[in-house]
Amino acid sequence: MKELFVNIYRGRYILENMVVKDIKAKYAASLLGPFWLVATPLYQILLYTFLFSTILKVRFEDNSGTSSFVVYLLAGLIPWLFFAEATSRGISTFIENAHIIKKVKFPMEVCVASVIVSSAVTFCIYMIFYLAMLIFMGLLKFHTFPLFIIPFVIQVLMILGLSFGMGSIAVFFRDITQATGMILNLIFFVTPIVYPSSAIPERFRWFFSINPFYSIVEMYRNVLVRGEAPDAFSLIYPSVFALVIFVAGYYVFNKTKEAFKDIL
Amino acid sequence: MKDFAVETAGLTKEYHIYDHPLERLKELFLKRARHKVFRALGPIDIAVRRGEALGILGENGAGKSTFLKLAAGVIEPSEGRITVSGKVSSILELGTGFNPEFTGRENVLLNAALLGLSPKHINKRIGMIEKFTDIGEFFDMPVKTYSTGMYLRLAFSLAVHVDAEIVLIDEVLAVGDGAYEKKCIDKIWDLRRNGITLLYCSHSLYTVANFCDRAMWLKEGRVQAFGDTKEVISIYEDYLREKERVESTEMPPLSNSVMRKVAEVKDIRLFADGQPVETSVQYLSNIEVILDFEVFEDTDVYVGFAVDRNDGLCYYADSMHKQGLEPFHGPGRERLTLSFKNLPILGGAYKIVIFLLDETGICIYDRKESIIFKVDTKEKEWGVCYLHHEWKR
C-alpha cells in the first residue's frame, strides 16, 4: 500500500500530465465539448426513468412519484458510472500506454491512478449537480451526506484492485478487455440501481446480499437521501471485499510488471 | 560523485521465448518452466567514466539496443547488475515514448514528465525544444502526421534539452537531412564539452570514431573488443571484411601437380624496422620481405607481389617485368629482398602474396602468402592509406 503511494508520488508530474490531457481530450477536443458531459448521463436518466418509472411503474419508496425515482436512481447511477468508466479504462490502461511503458522507465502505477483521477473528476461534477438538486428539492440529509466519501473510498480500492489485477492479465491475454464491458453490464443489472432492493424476490435475496455493489449503492442512498449512517455489516463486508481485491490485484501487478515490456 | 557514470558487473539479459503469452503468465505463478532461453546480451563487465563518450559497435542483433535499454532502465537485467549514476535521457529505436495521437508539444510535455522534470522546469525548456526541432507548425500537430525526419528531430531535441547527465543515442543521426545532422552533431559536441556522458550506438564507424573516446564491439551479446576507439574500429572493420570477403579474382596457379614443378616459393619472412614481424607492425614502418624460392628448370622466372587486405582487396601489385628487371634463371635456389620504405597503409589486416611468373606474367608457377599482419594506427587520419599532401593558404 505504501509502495503504491510512493510510486504515485514519484510519478506525480506524469500523473498531472496524463490527467490534464485526458480531461482535455474528453471535453475540449470534441466538437460540442462539455455538452457530452451533460448529455451522456441525461440520456441515461431519461431512458431509465421512462422505462422503469413510467412504463414499469417502479417505485423506490411508497410515497413517491417520478421525481423521487430520479433522486434514487441518481444516487446509484452516478457512483456506478464512475465505477464502470474507471474500471473499463483501468483494465486497458497498460495496453493503451504501451508506447511509454516500452520506452521509458517510470512508475507504472500512474497509468491506473490517472484513469481513476480523471473519472473521479467527472464523478465530482455529477455529484455537485446532484447535491444541488437535492438541496433545491429539500431532500438532502445534511447530517449524513459527507459520509458518501466512505463508499467512494471503497469503490476506489476496488477499481485499483481490478485495474492492477485484470489490467496486468489483459497485457498477456487481450480478451479480458473484450469481456469487461459484458461483465460490467451484468453487474449493473444485478445491482439495484434502476430498481429498488425491495423489488428483489425473496429467493434471490441471498445473492444480492453477497453482491458488494449492492451494499455500496445502498450506502450512497442511505447517507444522501435516507439520512442513515452505514451500519457495521454493510460497511465491513464491501470494505473487506475491496481490500482483498486490491491486495490480490496489486500482487498480480507486481509479479507480472517486469514482463510487460516484452509483451506489449 | 562517482567516477563512473555507467558500471556493469556480469550484466546479462536473457529473453524467455514462449509459444503463447498465456504460457508466460502461467509461469509467473506456477513453478514449471515453460520457456526457451535466448541470451541477448552478456555477461558484460565494463565501466564508462563520467564525461566519457562510448561508442557501441556491432551488427544487427548483436545486443546494442538491449544494452542501451538496460542502461536506460527500461528493461531489467536477468543477471548481474548495471549501475547508472545520473539522470538519463535516451533516443531508443527511433523515438522515445511518443504517442502518435498527441501533438509534438504534448509528447514533449509527457516525456519530460516521464524524465522527472517538473512542469515549471519544462515550460522554460519547451521554447528551446520547439526552436531546435524547427518543424514549424507541425510542432502542434499529432505526431502521426510526422515524417520520419520530423519524428527524429523531435526525439533528438527532447533528449538533449532535459538536462540529462547521461545521454543514450541509438542510431539516429543518419536519418536526418545533412544540415540538420550537422546541427545535431554540433549539439552533441556542445553537450560533451559540458561534461555529459554519451553512449552512442551506430553503424557509422566514422561518427563513432569522431565522437567517442572509447568503443565497445558487441558480437552475439558479448564484448568482442573494448578500448581505444580507433583500435576497436580497426578490429571490427577487419572482422566485417573477413566476413564479406569477395572471392579472389586472381587466376589460380596453373596446376603444376601433374606437370613437373617449374619453381616453388620456399619461405617468406617479414621484418619491420629490422625486427621479425609476429602479428602487427607500426604505421609507417620500414618493411622488408625476404623471399626464398627455388627454380627447378632451365627457364626464366619473374617475381611479382601483391599487398592484399584480408577481404581480398588488392592494395598494390607489381612484378619484375614492369620494372624491366632481369629474370632469375634456373635451376637453383634464390633469395630476394623486397623492401617498402614507410609503408603508408592505415589500420587493418594485410598479407603479402608472392608470385613466381613466366615471361608473359600470365602463367603463375607458384603463389604463396605471407602471414597476416596488422597495422597499428592511433592516428586521427581516416581512410585506407597515407597520401602525401601539403596544406597551403
Side-chain angles (χ1 to χ4, degrees), chain A residues 126-141:
Chain A
Y126 291 162
M127 215 53 190
I128 289 165
F129 277 111
Y130 180 60
L131 292 177
M133 183 182 112
L134 287 180
I135 292 170
F136 180 75
M137 294 169 81
L139 293 173
L140 185 68
K141 297 293 183 274

Side-chain angles (χ1 to χ4, degrees), chain B residues 336-349:
Chain B
L336 182 65
T337 304
L338 179 67
S339 41
F340 301 92
K341 195 161 187 295
N342 301 335
L343 188 73
I345 290 171
L346 284 162

Side-chain angles (χ1 to χ4, degrees), chain B residues 45-58:
Chain B
D45 297 271
I46 58 160
V48 183
R49 288 185 283 264
R50 198 162 284 287
E52 185 178 38
L54 176 73
I56 302 164
L57 308 172

Side-chain angles (χ1 to χ4, degrees), chain B residues 239-310:
Chain B
Y239 161 78
L240 287 181
R241 285 190 212 112
E242 190 73 43
K243 221 184 129 186
E244 288 160 23
R245 175 204 287 274
V246 281
E247 270 308 305
S248 172
T249 50
E250 287 165 15
M251 246 205 300
L254 284 185
S255 174
N256 289 336
S257 52
V258 276
M259 296 193 290
R260 277 173 304 141
K261 249 191 172 146
V262 175
E264 187 185 10
V265 180
K266 297 284 189 196
D267 192 22
I268 304 171
R269 283 170 293 158
L270 298 182
F271 294 88
D273 297 324
Q275 297 298 314
V277 174
E278 277 161 17
T279 54
S280 61
V281 304
Q282 292 299 313
Y283 174 52
L284 293 182
S285 31
N286 297 313
I287 307 289
E288 278 193 341
V289 183
I290 297 178
L291 170 69
D292 288 303
F293 63 98
E294 190 169 355
V295 184
F296 303 109
E297 303 273 300
D298 176 15
T299 181
D300 284 346
V301 169
Y302 292 80
V303 180
F305 76 94
V307 179
D308 283 1
R309 201 164 64 183
N310 62 343

Side-chain angles (χ1 to χ4, degrees), chain B residues 351-382:
Chain B
K351 63 192 177 217
I352 291 174
V353 188
I354 299 295
F355 299 92
L356 300 179
L357 307 157
D358 72 350
E359 66 282 358
T360 63
I362 295 170
C363 173
I364 300 168
Y365 293 134
D366 195 20
R367 176 185 182 281
K368 195 174 166 100
E369 295 177 1
S370 75
I371 56 160
I372 292 176
F373 61 97
K374 294 191 178 206
V375 179
D376 293 333
T377 24
K378 294 197 180 72
E379 312 304 317
K380 285 288 173 201
E381 297 155 281
W382 194 257

